[in-house]
């Protein structure tokens, strides 16, 4: 019985196979359905061809195009096109754009919990901050904040440690901060306000004019790589070292619906390309700062480099700590973020101290 059945099954299979052979020849592989192409619109806070920041968005667009074999395209509108450098959050939230390239702390007026994700005064250096984002819970906290707005946020490139800004007059005591009109965004602006200064935020394209026309007395932007070409030194020759942005991570802001509309492989391509573009920006910014710092010393001897006196830094730090306590008390999610950053900083700084800092101290001692 078994043999008979087996024979019957084999005969049936053979007949089916022969029947298949009689049909017109099929191609060896089924032709893939025509690949669907997706185009995402990106709005950046920066003007057209803005060095370093604009290189990052262009690199992102080129990478996703190549990695997806042309299935994912990104078009870029700079601020001259969309006319709203600080409207990026609203435009991406509304779906007018799919992606934004900007800085999270520009949105503190929209949602105060966004200000923790660029960087905080007296906080982490770039390696410490990147470790917090990717391995210390930072990404999850950022996701929690932006989910409220139907948005995703990813690190968008680090400037490295920033300079403290350009001042017309030296800052010798906290009295010199009274009434000082300064362009300085984020939490640092809140800190300066507590000490009697008048902080404001101004889009990058309007900074020089604002300084020239006395709308502001002082400003901070980034560092030699981007500051020198803006010409601030012609008006405000005192260039202070930093306290307010020991690192600054820009941001890729993505509309959640736009993200969800992509097939999983394109989502992964976009995710990886954003991370690669952000990582490359950190290296590029470091390089450009180093090159321009040498250039500044050689070609612009009128620039006076200063460090804030200890009295001023102590007052800033105390105001910073008071404000952190107040912000944490007012908002449970803010407390969660502030605690996470404080705990992570303590752990990471212990390692920084015995690795990078100890090395740099040793090298300095050798030169003495
Ligand atoms: Ca800055």
């Amino acid at each position: 019985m078994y043999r008979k059945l087996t024979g019957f099954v084999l005969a049936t299979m053979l007949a089916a196979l022969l029947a298949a052979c009689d049909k017109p020849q099929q191609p060896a592989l089924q032709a893939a359905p025509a690949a669907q192409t997706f185009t995402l619109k990106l709005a950046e806070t920066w003007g057209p061809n803005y060095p370093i920041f604009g290189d990052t968005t262009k690199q992102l667009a080129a990478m996703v195009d190549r990695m997806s074999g042309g299935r994912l395209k990104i078009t870029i509108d700079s601020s001259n096109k969309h006319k709203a450098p600080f409207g990026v959050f609203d435009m991406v939230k509304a779906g007018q754009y799919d992606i934004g390239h900007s800085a999270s702390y520009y949105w503190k007026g929209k949602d105060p919990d966004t200000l923790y994700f660029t960087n905080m005064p007296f906080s982490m250096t770039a390696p410490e901050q990147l470790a917090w984002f990717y391995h210390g819970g930072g990404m999850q906290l950022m996701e929690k904040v932006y989910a409220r707005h139907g948005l995703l946020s990813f690190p968008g490139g680090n400037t490295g440690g920033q300079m403290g800004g350009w001042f017309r007059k030296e800052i010798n005591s906290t009295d010199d901060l009274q009434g000082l009109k300064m362009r300085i965004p984020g939490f640092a602006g809140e800190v300066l306000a507590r000490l009697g200064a008048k902080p404001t935020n101004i889009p990058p394209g309007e900074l020089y004019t604002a300084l020239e026309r006395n709308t502001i007395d002082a400003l901070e932007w980034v560092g030699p790589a981007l500051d020198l070409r803006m010409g601030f030194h012609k008006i405000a020759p005192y260039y202070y070292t930093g306290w307010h942005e020991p690192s600054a991570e820009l941001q890729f802001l993505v509309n959640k619906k736009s993200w969800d509309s992509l097939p999983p492989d394109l989502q992964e391509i976009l995710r990886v390309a954003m991370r690669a573009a952000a990582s490359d920006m950190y290296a590029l910014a470091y390089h450009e700062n180093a090159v321009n710092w040498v250039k500044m010393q050689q070609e612009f001897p009128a620039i006076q480099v200063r460090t804030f006196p200890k009295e001023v830094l102590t007052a800033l730090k105390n105001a910073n700590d008071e404000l952190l306590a107040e912000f944490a008390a007012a908002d449970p999610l803010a407390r969660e973020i502030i605690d996470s950053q404080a705990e992570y900083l303590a752990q990471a700084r212990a390692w920084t101290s015995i690795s990078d800092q100890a090395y740099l101290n040793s090298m300095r001692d050798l030169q003495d």
Side-chain angles (χ1 to χ4, degrees):
M1 184 67 178
Y2 174 74
R3 293 185 74 159
K4 266 187 186 171
L5 261 182
T6 307
F8 175 76
V9 169
L10 280 173
T12 312
M13 285 173 65
L14 191 61
L17 204 60
L18 287 170
C21 289
D22 284 345
K23 288 181 183 165
Q25 195 72 35
Q26 294 285 325
L29 287 171
Q30 284 283 323
Q36 194 182 349
T37 300
F38 295 82
T39 300
L40 301 177
K41 288 176 67 185
L42 181 150
E44 57 186 3
T45 289
W46 339 113
N49 301 312
Y50 198 77
I52 304 174
F53 299 180
D55 293 332
T56 305
T57 50
K58 282 181 200 156
Q59 203 200 357
L60 173 71
M63 273 195 288
V64 298
D65 192 1
R66 288 196 302 269
M67 290 163 81
S68 69
R71 288 166 56 224
L72 182 57
K73 308 268 187 198
I74 294 176
T75 60
I76 300 166
D77 282 357
S78 306
S79 61
N80 62 320
K81 183 84 182 284
H82 56 68
K83 311 283 184 202
F86 292 150
V88 169
F89 179 96
D90 287 338
M91 294 189 296
V92 176
K93 185 174 176 175
Q96 197 177 334
Y97 283 91
D98 307 293
I99 307 182
H101 192 234
S102 196
S104 189
Y105 64 10
Y106 291 154
W107 321 130
K108 70 179 178 182
K110 311 276 178 195
D111 182 335
D113 290 342
T114 57
L115 67 74
Y116 304 98
F117 300 103
T118 306
N119 203 352
M120 296 290 282
F122 303 105
S123 188
M124 295 178 263
T125 62
E128 293 166 346
Q129 188 190 16
L130 288 165
W132 176 71
F133 267 125
Y134 292 120
H135 303 285
M139 291 294 285
Q140 289 79 2
L141 288 167
M142 184 155 69
E143 190 179 330
K144 221 186 248 193
V145 170
Y146 280 91
R148 305 197 278 226
H149 304 281
L151 294 165
L152 300 168
S153 176
F154 301 86
N158 205 294
T159 64
Q162 297 204 1
M163 290 294 282
W166 300 89
F167 295 76
R168 281 195 177 83
K169 293 176 188 164
E170 280 185 273
I171 303 297
N172 294 316
S173 73
T174 50
D175 290 344
D176 295 326
L177 298 175
Q178 297 302 312
L180 183 84
K181 290 177 287 176
M182 181 170 183
R183 183 271 180 191
I184 181 164
F187 202 75
E190 311 287 331
V191 172
L192 274 177
R194 174 126 320 182
L195 294 182
K198 292 186 164 55
T200 182
N201 193 15
I202 295 170
E206 297 163 32
L207 284 175
Y208 184 85
T209 312
L211 191 61
E212 191 182 33
R213 293 185 183 165
N214 293 311
T215 309
I216 47 175
D217 306 310
L219 62 79
E220 72 77 48
W221 177 224
V222 178
L226 293 169
D227 291 6
L228 204 51
R229 68 186 81 225
M230 302 281 263
F232 304 137
H233 56 278
K234 294 177 206 160
I235 307 167
Y238 295 102
Y239 197 28
Y240 276 82
T241 58
W243 59 278
H244 64 309
E245 291 184 273
S247 146
E249 188 68 39
L250 301 184
Q251 166 192 54
F252 287 119
L253 200 55
V254 183
N255 179 291
K256 180 74 165 46
K257 283 184 191 155
S258 305
W259 177 269
D260 290 342
S261 75
L262 297 175
D265 65 329
L266 294 187
Q267 286 177 347
E268 192 58 17
I269 283 172
L270 180 56
R271 186 202 309 275
V272 169
M274 287 190 292
R275 188 157 171 173
S279 172
D280 284 354
M281 190 190 111
Y282 178 36
L284 179 62
Y286 212 97
H287 168 74
E288 288 291 328
N289 273 322
V291 167
N292 282 281
W293 170 240
V294 171
K295 183 180 172 183
M296 187 179 281
Q297 290 172 300
Q298 288 174 346
E299 297 177 26
F300 301 91
I303 295 171
Q304 304 287 310
V305 177
R306 296 282 186 275
T307 291
F308 292 109
K310 193 171 179 186
E311 178 220 327
V312 172
L313 286 172
T314 303
L316 290 166
K317 177 72 165 65
N318 290 340
N320 183 75
D321 293 349
E322 280 171 30
L323 277 163
L324 279 177
E326 289 172 24
F327 276 51
D331 175 350
L333 185 49
R335 175 180 295 282
E336 202 182 332
I337 302 165
I338 289 166
D339 287 351
S340 167
Q341 291 186 328
E343 283 163 23
Y344 201 82
L345 175 61
Q347 173 183 273
R349 186 57 52 84
W351 170 240
T352 305
S353 298
I354 201 62
S355 57
D356 290 351
Q357 195 169 357
Y359 168 75
L360 293 172
N361 289 347
S362 299
M363 294 305 103
R364 192 184 52 201
D365 292 346
L366 274 179
Q367 287 177 338
D368 286 346

